[in-house]
Amino acid sequence: MQAATAKWYDRRDLVFIEFCVEDSRDVEVKFEKSKLDFSCVGGVDTIKYHNEVGLFEAIDPNDSKHKRTDRSVFCCLRKAEPGKSWPRLTKDKTKCNWLSVDFNNWKDWEDDSDEELSSYDRFSEMMNNMGGEDDLPDMDGADDEESPDSDDEKMPDLE
């Protein structure tokens, strides 16, 4: 048996882990209060995978779920204490070579506030309402060659 490659990310009430095993079968996921146990057989080589993860904080095992797809097994862990950030997935500080952060889905939600989000939404709406190059305002003869340029005057001699 070997450990399956996995990536994870944190949200306010949930922690997500994706075990990257293609064509998995015989998938077993056991959620415990402070541990996750994952096993399956995967790929055309029928490799047996097993990951035992001592979790950073407690979860609600009854409200945690998993879903198998053709490319991976996606686990959704309900935090026992919602709103508490997890700086890492595992209880131990040691680096697991099979585990990485899913930066495509990572979000620093601790710094978010409703006010900041609404400001962002207003900014996005303003950017979407702005026109393209054809909508640029007239620059009052900026392209006219006859108009004298203010920096075309002769410079005084240096003393």
Side-chain angles (χ1 to χ4, degrees):
M1 279 200 224
Q2 69 183 51
T5 302
K7 49 189 177 178
W8 79 285
Y9 61 97
D10 181 34
R11 287 291 190 267
R12 190 173 305 280
D13 301 333
L14 305 164
V15 172
F16 296 94
I17 308 169
E18 182 177 12
F19 292 97
C20 304
V21 179
E22 291 188 18
D23 300 323
S24 60
R25 7 180 230 294
D26 303 330
V27 175
E28 288 187 40
V29 180
K30 296 177 187 165
F31 299 105
E32 297 178 23
K33 191 171 177 91
S34 60
K35 186 172 86 170
L36 167 69
D37 194 60
F38 168 80
S39 63
C40 74
V41 176
V44 292
D45 299 332
T46 61
I47 298 171
K48 292 182 180 180
Y49 294 98
H50 180 254
N51 297 63
E52 189 174 307
V53 184
L55 300 170
F56 178 76
E57 290 284 336
I59 63 168
D60 180 355
N62 299 324
D63 203 15
S64 297
K65 300 176 172 91
H66 76 280
K67 180 179 172 131
R68 183 205 157 287
T69 67
D70 289 340
R71 298 183 140 241
S72 63
V73 178
F74 195 73
C75 299
C76 176
L77 312 176
R78 172 76 58 186
K79 293 180 180 179
E81 291 184 50
K84 188 172 183 183
S85 172
W86 288 23
R88 61 185 178 278
L89 177 66
T90 60
K91 180 178 264 187
D92 298 330
K93 288 185 178 183
T94 57
K95 172 92 171 107
C96 300
N97 60 353
W98 54 268
L99 182 65
S100 64
V101 174
D102 186 351
F103 287 109
N104 290 334
N105 290 306
W106 191 267
K107 180 181 173 190
D108 288 331
W109 54 263
E110 291 178 298
D111 300 333
D112 287 349
S113 71
D114 293 338
E115 184 177 311
E116 289 173 351
L117 288 174
S118 65
S119 296
Y120 178 79
D121 291 339
R122 284 194 307 270
F123 177 75
S124 295
E125 184 179 329
M126 180 184 72
M127 293 301 288
N128 289 336
N129 289 336
M130 290 181 73
E133 287 183 23
D134 295 338
D135 296 332
L136 290 175
D138 185 25
M139 300 302 279
D140 293 331
D143 293 333
D144 295 344
E145 292 182 25
E146 289 104 32
S147 64
D149 207 355
S150 63
D151 60 353
D152 286 346
E153 296 174 15
K154 185 176 188 252
M155 296 283 294
D157 292 332
L158 295 175
E159 292 182 24

